Amino acid sequence: MCGIAGAAGTPDTSEDIKRMLAALGHRGPDACGTYQAEGLSIGNTLLKITGDMPQPLVGKGALILNGEIFNFRELAVEQGIKTNSDTEVLFSLIEAKIKNGESPINAVFSTLSRVNGDYALAYALDKEIILARDPVGVKPLFYSLDNEVEKPKINFASEKKAFSGQISCIKPFRPGRVMTFNILNGRLEEKSLNIEPPEERISEEHEAASYLKAALEKAVEIRLTNNSGIAFSGGIDSTFLAALAKSIDASISLYAVGLQNSHDLVQAQYAAEAADMKDSLKTRIIYPEEIEAAIPDVIYSTESTDPMKIAIGLPLYFVAKTAKEDGKRVLLTGQGADELFAGYSRHEGFFEQGPEVLDREICSDIKNISAVNLERDDMVTMANSVELRVPFLDKEVIRTGLAICPELKVLKRDGLYIRKYILRKAADGLLPSELLWKEKKAIQYGTGVQKVLDRLARDAGFSKREGNHIEKYLKQVAADHGFDFIIG
């Protein structure tokens, strides 16, 4: 995991890149590197997890990468490359394709088509910059483009805070997009790496559960490192991941946070004991004063005063902080399970309208999960220099999940709905039944954070009866700390 940034078309791109990388230091505390050519600069702040390869990598072109390529070892064997660096494998594949006559954008696109990973990257060659982001948008990337002028300009970075106040029209780079920008004439060319729903569906329950368990098992295995932990709430998503991880690494650590006696702490302790992982669980009681003190950090890291983003971001911020203090650099979460397997109450209504309606909404949820959840989660974990990994959004897990018929995701029995039914069936045999069918509170309520935010807003003089009292409070906090320039 890293932070990446770049600038092209401005008089002094080297100064631009220095300023941008300084703002991204929390994303990569281990090293910082830059590459300059005429009219452009790119750079990287490095968090060492896979390999020890400094960035940018420079050959015919130059590459910076934020993220992880989980199948890089298989790709390295195919190409006869001996390395422990996923960045080096990616770079070698791109450069080899260009050497064989492919255009830069085609070389990047065809390489990424074979990749299973979470990434945002930039590759610079001659007068072109190619940007790319993984199909789901696990890794964030923002850009500002002005190509309808005499001197075209582009700036990009992992977070909006890296852009100066003078740069306007900052937009998220669309997930699954590969784009080349010519710094001489501003010409753009684009390709898409989207994961499409398969035509052949899985309708048999046992088959669906078996395929799903196998895909998740592999997704967890390739994401585990010797310094990884799991964000653990005791719900089906995190408990399933924990059980799969335990079968691979018995020493895996689980992290749960919440106010004293909160639902999530009680449930995490219960689930860890029921799953025979009591000794793996590490809990942290968070106090209202700690939450209040952390709010400015979470506003700054998420670049938002949206009450939902802050309420959900705060518990994950403390989980990442606890994991960091415990020496971890990687944190696995259950993000994506609700979207892929119909875990929200609103999915019940879509199910009642028909399987095809639920199917369509699930595809929409996956398409939009980056803006709704992933960017927030990445930023609050990286505020603590901890990399977020999401096994439920693995390329093969998504393909399997989209292949499973929607009738297996929501089940109506005796007038009651069972959401994420097939996911629960996939965990059957690995988890005790008392955990398989238990519903869980949303994290902001289960940890008690929502109640604290409500009280803080009222104590600050914002009336709940007048509406939006938490949002008004958060905006005041942002203004008091001078964060207005990054709030979207």
Side-chain angles (χ1 to χ4, degrees), residues 31-53:
C32 180
T34 61
Y35 166 82
Q36 278 91 35
E38 185 179 355
L40 70 88
S41 296
I42 59 175
N44 161 279
T45 60
L46 180 66
L47 177 65
K48 292 180 183 177
I49 294 175
T50 302
D52 192 22
M53 181 66 62

Side-chain angles (χ1 to χ4, degrees), residues 33-188:
T34 61
Y35 166 82
Q36 278 91 35
E38 185 179 355
L40 70 88
S41 296
I42 59 175
N44 161 279
T45 60
L46 180 66
L47 177 65
K48 292 180 183 177
I49 294 175
T50 302
D52 192 22
M53 181 66 62
Q55 295 189 40
L57 272 67
V58 180
K60 186 174 179 62
L63 174 72
I64 48 175
L65 170 71
N66 167 32
E68 300 290 338
I69 307 303
F70 298 116
N71 63 335
F72 83 92
R73 290 183 176 85
E74 293 93 324
L75 295 174
V77 170
E78 288 179 17
Q79 299 299 314
I81 303 169
K82 292 184 178 181
T83 181
N84 65 349
S85 167
D86 57 341
T87 311
E88 184 177 10
V89 172
L90 196 67
F91 184 63
S92 297
L93 289 171
I94 293 170
E95 295 257 299
K97 289 177 181 296
I98 290 174
K99 187 177 180 181
N100 288 334
E102 290 192 34
S103 67
I105 188 171
N106 285 340
V108 172
F109 176 80
S110 58
T111 297
L112 294 178
S113 297
R114 304 185 60 211
V115 157
N116 184 3
D118 308 327
Y119 54 82
L121 63 82
Y123 178 78
L125 176 63
D126 298 329
K127 299 300 180 181
E128 286 187 279
I129 292 181
I130 295 97
L131 302 180
R133 190 179 181 194
D134 66 77
V136 185
V138 176
K139 300 307 172 196
L141 186 62
F142 298 88
Y143 75 114
S144 176
L145 174 67
D146 189 356
N147 65 332
E148 295 182 359
V149 292
E150 185 178 347
K151 293 184 178 180
K153 295 182 290 186
I154 190 170
N155 294 73
F156 64 88
S158 296
E159 299 180 13
K160 288 186 288 185
K161 61 181 65 68
F163 297 82
S164 70
Q166 290 75 38
I167 297 176
S168 59
C169 298
I170 302 167
K171 300 181 291 186
F173 193 81
R174 191 176 69 246
R177 183 186 191 190
V178 182
M179 182 188 81
T180 183
F181 172 78
N182 187 300
I183 66 174
L184 294 179
N185 57 29
R187 184 179 63 84
L188 299 177

Side-chain angles (χ1 to χ4, degrees), residues 420-439:
K420 294 190 286 193
Y421 174 77
I422 194 61
L423 181 63
R424 299 175 195 276
K425 291 299 291 184
D428 196 3
L430 195 62
L431 298 177
S433 60
E434 61 264 33
L435 298 180
L436 283 179
W437 309 106
K438 189 176 180 63
E439 292 293 344

Side-chain angles (χ1 to χ4, degrees), residues 198-488:
E199 292 183 9
E200 189 173 342
R201 307 302 294 268
I202 307 172
S203 59
E204 200 279 315
E205 183 180 301
H206 177 75
E207 182 183 19
S210 178
Y211 281 145
L212 177 54
K213 182 181 178 182
L216 269 173
E217 212 164 24
K218 179 65 174 177
V220 171
E221 181 182 6
I222 61 179
R223 283 165 174 78
L224 287 177
T225 71
N226 58 6
N227 58 7
S228 58
I230 296 176
F232 190 76
S233 65
I236 181 64
D237 309 335
S238 61
T239 309
F240 194 1
L241 293 184
L244 290 170
K246 179 189 174 186
S247 67
I248 301 164
D249 178 5
S251 65
I252 189 71
S253 295
L254 316 178
Y255 299 94
V257 305
L259 271 68
Q260 195 162 20
N261 299 319
S262 64
H263 173 277
D264 274 19
L265 282 186
V266 173
Q267 175 61 21
Q269 290 164 342
Y270 169 76
E273 187 167 355
D276 196 25
M277 298 187 70
K278 184 179 179 181
D279 294 340
S280 301
L281 179 64
K282 301 185 179 184
T283 60
R284 176 174 183 159
I285 297 172
I286 48 177
Y287 297 93
E289 297 78 14
E290 284 184 284
I291 293 172
E292 183 178 14
I295 287 172
D297 288 341
V298 176
I299 289 175
Y300 182 74
S301 63
T302 60
E303 304 170 339
S304 174
T305 53
D306 179 271
M308 182 73 77
K309 285 189 176 182
I310 303 305
I312 296 174
L314 276 162
L316 188 55
Y317 173 87
F318 281 109
V319 168
K321 185 178 179 67
T322 305
K324 167 83 175 294
E325 292 167 353
D326 199 34
K328 307 301 181 186
R329 287 197 161 201
V330 171
L331 191 66
L332 275 64
T333 80
Q335 186 61 264
D338 286 322
E339 288 76 7
L340 194 55
F341 300 104
Y344 296 117
S345 58
R346 58 182 168 82
H347 287 128
E348 297 171 6
F350 296 129
F351 175 76
E352 287 291 351
Q353 295 176 51
E356 68 285 350
V357 176
L358 177 58
D359 216 22
R360 187 167 60 246
E361 290 303 318
I362 287 171
C363 289
S364 176
D365 285 348
I366 293 298
K367 182 179 179 180
N368 296 317
I369 192 173
S370 177
V372 176
N373 292 326
L374 295 176
E375 290 169 1
R376 173 202 65 218
D377 291 358
D378 174 273
M379 290 175 184
V380 295
T381 54
M382 284 306 291
N384 293 284
S385 301
V386 172
E387 176 180 314
L388 180 76
R389 294 188 179 181
V390 281
F392 283 106
L393 295 176
D394 176 86
K395 193 174 183 179
E396 294 307 315
V397 174
I398 292 175
R399 283 177 175 160
T400 302
L402 293 179
I404 294 172
C405 289
E407 295 93 333
L408 293 176
K409 296 179 181 180
V410 177
L411 190 70
K412 193 173 184 180
R413 181 179 291 168
D414 299 327
L416 298 176
Y417 292 98
I418 302 175
R419 302 193 298 269
K420 294 190 286 193
Y421 174 77
I422 194 61
L423 181 63
R424 299 175 195 276
K425 291 299 291 184
D428 196 3
L430 195 62
L431 298 177
S433 60
E434 61 264 33
L435 298 180
L436 283 179
W437 309 106
K438 189 176 180 63
E439 292 293 344
K440 194 185 91 62
K441 286 186 177 182
I443 190 172
Q444 65 270 38
Y445 301 107
T447 57
V449 166
Q450 187 71 32
K451 285 185 177 179
V452 174
L453 285 174
D454 176 71
R455 182 184 61 77
L456 288 171
R458 288 185 284 109
D459 288 351
F462 297 102
S463 170
K464 189 172 184 176
R465 285 177 296 181
E466 293 178 5
N468 301 322
H469 66 305
I470 295 177
E471 184 175 11
K472 292 172 184 175
Y473 164 68
L474 295 173
K475 285 183 176 179
Q476 177 181 287
V477 173
D480 289 344
H481 286 78
F483 295 159
D484 303 70
F485 74 102
I486 61 166
I487 304 301

